[in-house]
Amino acid sequence: MRHAGGSTRRQRGVTLIEATVVLAVTAITAGAVAPGLRGFIEKHELEGAASQLASDLQFARAEAVWRNTGLRLSLQSQSWGACYVVHTGAAGQCRCRESGPAQCDGDAVELKTVQLPAADHVALVANVSSILFDPLHGTSSPTATFGLSTPSGRAVNQVVNLMGRVRTCSPRGSVPGLPVC
């Protein structure tokens, strides 16, 4: 378009058609990436929870020896998710709460509480409700398998043997890079 001084004027901005094309391409790309992104996030949430549990099992064992007193890691399932507590005392003396540290009765002392809310999509189950680490040798009683899993079927087990050692594996090889249980 030529104006009265001989100059041309260029239009600036985006047409409705151009904006619609960009929006459509963005929507298609987001739709294609979203499922893979959810799987990526879920895998890292599972690996993070499994790593923390293994670390806390080793912590309970080492603290039992260092403090020269028996320590427990007790697991509880709640309506809001799962929780485990590292504590002194008997198995039933500490109870998880939805927020904050565990509530302990009598002479039991809570050292650490970890909550796994159901909203995080990582479930925790075990074949025992509590495991005791001996202060003299660091052994565990009983042996235990703690299983962490996601809705998509990924799973990691933390297996504690009689010597108190922790081994990480994946049932059915559902998490690549870990040995199969």
Side-chain angles (χ1 to χ4, degrees), residues 1 12 22 49 80 99 103 118-119 131 133 162-163 176:
M1 179 181 284
R12 296 184 181 211
V22 168
W80 47 264
S99 62
Q103 173 83 32
I131 186 169
F133 291 95
L162 187 59
M163 296 305 295

Side-chain angles (χ1 to χ4, degrees), residues 38 45 78-82 98 115-124 151:
R38 178 66 202 144
E45 286 174 344
Q78 306 289 337
S79 60
W80 47 264
E98 190 168 357
Q115 299 165 336
L116 294 166
D120 288 354
H121 305 291
V122 176
L124 173 61

Side-chain angles (χ1 to χ4, degrees), residues 19-124:
T20 304
V21 169
V22 168
L23 185 60
V25 169
T26 303
I28 291 169
T29 303
V33 170
L37 184 60
R38 178 66 202 144
F40 177 78
I41 291 169
E42 183 180 88
K43 179 178 181 263
H44 285 285
E45 286 174 344
L46 176 64
E47 289 173 348
S51 178
Q52 181 174 12
L53 177 59
S55 176
D56 290 338
L57 286 162
Q58 292 166 351
F59 165 76
R61 179 181 184 221
E63 280 291 302
V65 172
W66 183 77
R67 291 172 181 256
N68 196 28
T69 188
L71 287 182
R72 292 187 171 277
L73 187 138
S74 298
L75 171 69
Q76 299 169 10
S77 293
Q78 306 289 337
S79 60
W80 47 264
C83 172
Y84 62 86
V85 183
V86 176
H87 64 94
T88 64
Q93 283 189 286
C94 293
R95 292 173 307 286
C96 293
R97 297 187 298 178
E98 190 168 357
S99 62
Q103 173 83 32
C104 295
D105 299 326
D107 60 348
V109 176
E110 176 262 351
L111 300 177
K112 184 171 188 175
T113 302
V114 175
Q115 299 165 336
L116 294 166
D120 288 354
H121 305 291
V122 176
L124 173 61

